Amino acid sequence: MKASKEDLFDNNNHHNGEEGQSYMPLSGMYKDWFLDYASYVILERAVPALMDGLKPVQRRILHSMRELEDGRYNKVANIIGNTMKYHPHGDASIGDAMVQLGQRDLLIDTQGNWGNILTGDSAAAPRYIEARLSKFALEVVFNPKTTEWIASYDGRNKEPLHLPVKFPLLLAQGAEGIAVGLACKILPHNFIELIDASINALKDKKIEIYPDFPTGGLADFTQYNDGLRGGKVRLRAKIRQLDRKTLVIDEIPFGTTTSSLIESIVKSVDKGKIKIKKIEDNTAEKVEILLHLHPDASADKTIDALFAFTDCEISISPNACVIENDKPRFLGVSEMLKISAQHTLELLKLELQIKLNELEAQWHFASLEKIFIENKIYRKIENETTWEGVITAIDKGLKPFTKQLKRAVTADDIVRLTEIKIKRISKFDSEKADILIESLEEEMQSVMHNLKHITDYTIEYFKTLKKKYAAGRERKTEIKVFDTIEAVKVVANNTKLYANREEGFIGTSLKKDEFICDCSDIDDIIVFREDGVMLVTKISEKKFVGKNIIHLAVWKKGETQKIYHLLYRDGKQGPVLAKRFAVTGVIRDKEYHLGKGNEGTKVQYFSVQPNGEAEIVTIILKARPNLKKLQFDFDLGGLAIKSMSSQGNIVTKYPVQKIKQKEVGGSTLSARQIWFDDVTMRLNTNGRGELLGRFKGDDKILTVTQSGYYRISGHALDLRFDDDIILIEKLHIKRPLTIIYFDGEKNAYYVKRFLLEPGERKSHVISMHENSRVELVTTQWVPRIEIEYDGRSTNKKNEKFNLAEFVEIRNEKAVGNKLSDNKIKQISLLEPKPTDIPEEEKETEEQHALDLEFNEDNKNNKGEQMGLFN
């Protein structure tokens, strides 16, 4: 009888049916088969082991290569074939895993075309490429004496349960795998930093390690979360400006290739997000992608757009999962490193113990051999006719002399003595035997000392690894804190905005109607209507926003500089009011009444000033009896800038016929304080970093880099600055720029002074030799320096120089004057004197000093608020 429906879903494993048929319930199948499969994938394929940091296929490849190791390269096809004795999953999986190991450039010494992680090119066929174990792998990964062995899948061979790796290999290589209901993603870390952190772990010091990627680039680890689930790493390509219209990508984010990166850029260009005219990929051994910009494109804005819309910035979510005692475990990388350092200590301790046992065995037999030969115990067996008699005779002969031995003499020891050849007995040298025993004793003492001080021994082991293998393994990924890029601020204008003002429609598809402006497809549009209503809405193909539109434009959140001027009649018979306001934040698609909201309200004058410029308007009143003055001027600059919800000031209670603009004056906005944040290398108005001063519309910023460039730029908050800036300040065009630089070609220091030309520009002002660098730069009116000479090459004492007298102000292309013929150790800038400042510039300098004083007060206030000075 067949199993019932209920039986199929119970927890029993089998049911017997007709004619001896066996049935398994569905729940039993799931419980037994699926869980077995899931466990197998997790333990045997996808997730690395904590003990050695390897997946089974990687471990089997390395074990197989150790079997074949003879110092020469082996064909990868041969290695794959030999590995198949241990790994029952075919040659493809072994080959792929081996290529990945080889590309990490740590355990395998490769020869031939092993692919390119930068371009994504695959490796050549296994029959064409060769490999052998690296010296590092031979020293760190293998030791048969400390390895636990198990039978291979077919029982014909022995393979290691874990390799005795004495290094945090898992963190050095990283790991990634997807199992059944479980995933693993451990990011690679820097070789040198792992060794240093392992030493700190053994010293019980704080550990802080961050990934380092073979592709280089920039990384923000503020949300790394020690590699655990829920963390995030932001990665960026390294982009620099080659010239005004060319950008160069030198390094790419980990996980991308030059092909995938270029493809993402092309897609963004096709969508109109970025304006790029041409892309060239010159990548070979190093990445070099040239991006040629359109003439009207901003390099700074394009770099931000590349980060916002392409794979030039990506995010990786780590998930540190490992296998420990046949179970998956989630550990932070710091905990993994501590466990690895302790595991290395235990392995070294085991190796020392094994070595001590071997030395003791050698010492024991050397001492026993000396007793056997010097006391001529071998003669006692001459009359023995049986093997038992020989053993007994030797045993009796040794007994008077074995008190000095460290353990009892065994039968095996006696048998070994009988195997000594007569030739060796006849040539036995007692002095040499004593020297051998003494050397063994010294070596034993050294091993016992290391065992007693095992932590110090392990630390020295790591230091030796660093000394032998650290060359060329310096950090490749630069650690930075990224600024937040708002897509709406950097997206290129890729569409056009049209409007039908009377009917109240706006959109990108109304091409027969009035053209308003170029914009992007993610912009917000601000709309003002004649009835005194304002709203902000997302751009679309066609949208109704209300009839009688008087103004619409692209709106950016947080625009404090753009000031709106509005004169409106309140209701049908109410007075005319005036107001000035900024629109910095709104709820999208919500209608805001700019007046009191009374029916019949009508806007009678509207204007927008990008920098809050003052206006004078002429107001013409309707003629009325007893109204003598029908026209007068009104200065909007006298009104305070308030919020958009303010009702405004009454201008007149009489009906107005017309209002027209008479005059536009200067900005009424106070100069804004601008700071430079050297963490994000950006300007801000939030008080982060160094105060540069108070800036108005035409003010400029001067920057000088160590590589020898100076740049004059505006003060837009989306500007990007070079990482090697050594001077950034508000530009004072009358101040001379003084630069002391080292000329790499002439191997000497030079000083030059020149005046800057007005206008935004970037210029190189030192020699182009690769070793040339700016040593000191200042805009002091009369710069004074002190030179400290190298005492090993000269007895010359320190000197002070007035650079205003030492070198004349010349053209910026001039080489300048040589500073000294002696070898210079250090150059220091001295404090300026009050008398150095020209009389006509003292007021400007005093204002700058007040700004700096304000900055210090501001920092102190912020520090007290944040509890930094408690």
Side-chain angles (χ1 to χ4, degrees), residues 281-307:
D281 186 7
N282 299 328
T283 301
E285 184 180 352
K286 294 183 178 179
V287 172
E288 185 181 301
I289 301 173
L290 300 180
L291 305 177
H292 300 277
L293 309 182
H294 283 281
D296 60 339
S298 162
D300 289 332
K301 191 173 180 180
T302 303
I303 292 173
D304 283 348
L306 287 168
F307 292 145

Side-chain angles (χ1 to χ4, degrees), residues 692-694 729-736 778-782 832-854:
L692 300 183
R694 291 182 170 91
E729 62 181 39
K730 184 178 178 181
L731 174 66
H732 298 279
I733 199 68
K734 294 182 180 180
R735 287 188 194 174
T778 180
T779 57
Q780 289 182 7
W781 292 100
V782 182
K833 297 180 179 179
T835 55
D836 293 340
I837 303 172
E839 194 66 35
E840 64 272 14
E841 297 295 330
K842 282 189 176 180
E843 185 177 344
T844 303
E845 297 294 331
E846 287 171 2
Q847 181 59 53
H848 182 64
L850 287 173
D851 288 346
L852 294 179
E853 185 178 345
F854 170 83

Side-chain angles (χ1 to χ4, degrees), residues 74-90:
N74 283 290
K75 288 285 186 183
V76 169
N78 292 340
I79 297 172
I80 292 172
N82 193 61
T83 306
M84 290 178 71
K85 294 189 301 183
Y86 307 105
H87 194 67
H89 296 288

Side-chain angles (χ1 to χ4, degrees), residues 716-861:
L717 300 185
D718 59 355
L719 284 175
R720 304 184 63 85
F721 295 94
D722 296 322
D723 290 337
D724 63 338
I725 282 179
I726 57 175
L727 174 75
I728 179 167
E729 62 181 39
K730 184 178 178 181
L731 174 66
H732 298 279
I733 199 68
K734 294 182 180 180
R735 287 188 194 174
L737 184 65
T738 305
I739 293 178
I740 298 175
Y741 69 96
F742 179 78
D743 190 312
E745 185 177 357
K746 298 177 181 177
N747 200 30
Y749 288 93
Y750 286 79
V751 58
K752 60 192 292 185
R753 302 183 78 217
F754 57 91
L755 291 173
L756 297 166
E757 296 289 334
E760 297 188 15
R761 59 184 304 208
K762 184 176 182 179
S763 182
H764 192 268
V765 290
I766 67 172
S767 67
M768 298 298 293
H769 192 273
E770 61 180 356
N771 292 330
S772 296
R773 68 182 185 276
V774 174
E775 186 70 22
L776 187 147
V777 60
T778 180
T779 57
Q780 289 182 7
W781 292 100
V782 182
R784 292 178 173 84
I785 62 168
E786 182 175 5
I787 298 177
E788 180 183 349
Y789 294 101
D790 189 344
R792 293 175 295 181
S793 59
T794 180
N795 293 324
K796 198 172 175 112
K797 295 182 179 179
N798 293 0
E799 279 189 293
K800 293 182 179 180
F801 286 86
N802 181 337
L803 295 181
E805 298 174 353
F806 183 78
V807 61
E808 295 180 355
I809 295 175
R810 297 177 183 170
N811 185 278
E812 68 178 43
K813 298 299 180 185
V815 175
N817 294 2
K818 190 175 182 180
L819 198 54
S820 176
D821 291 322
N822 296 296
K823 194 169 183 180
I824 295 173
K825 182 178 180 181
Q826 185 175 337
I827 304 172
S828 303
L829 182 66
L830 301 176
E831 287 293 324
K833 297 180 179 179
T835 55
D836 293 340
I837 303 172
E839 194 66 35
E840 64 272 14
E841 297 295 330
K842 282 189 176 180
E843 185 177 344
T844 303
E845 297 294 331
E846 287 171 2
Q847 181 59 53
H848 182 64
L850 287 173
D851 288 346
L852 294 179
E853 185 178 345
F854 170 83
N855 184 38
E856 289 302 316
D857 292 342
N858 185 63
K859 279 185 178 179
N860 291 338
N861 291 336

Side-chain angles (χ1 to χ4, degrees), residues 215-270:
T215 56
L218 311 173
D220 184 343
F221 297 116
T222 52
Q223 301 179 56
Y224 183 46
N225 193 30
D226 205 34
L228 290 166
R229 286 181 295 182
K232 184 175 75 170
V233 176
R234 294 171 64 193
L235 304 177
R236 283 182 178 176
K238 188 169 281 188
I239 308 174
R240 59 183 172 89
Q241 188 175 350
L242 184 63
D243 53 46
R244 288 184 61 195
K245 295 304 171 188
T246 310
L247 301 177
V248 183
I249 299 177
D250 292 315
E251 297 173 8
I252 60 177
F254 179 69
T256 66
T257 63
T258 53
S259 301
S260 67
L261 190 67
I262 291 172
E263 185 180 352
S264 73
I265 295 173
V266 170
K267 285 181 179 178
S268 292
V269 172
D270 290 342

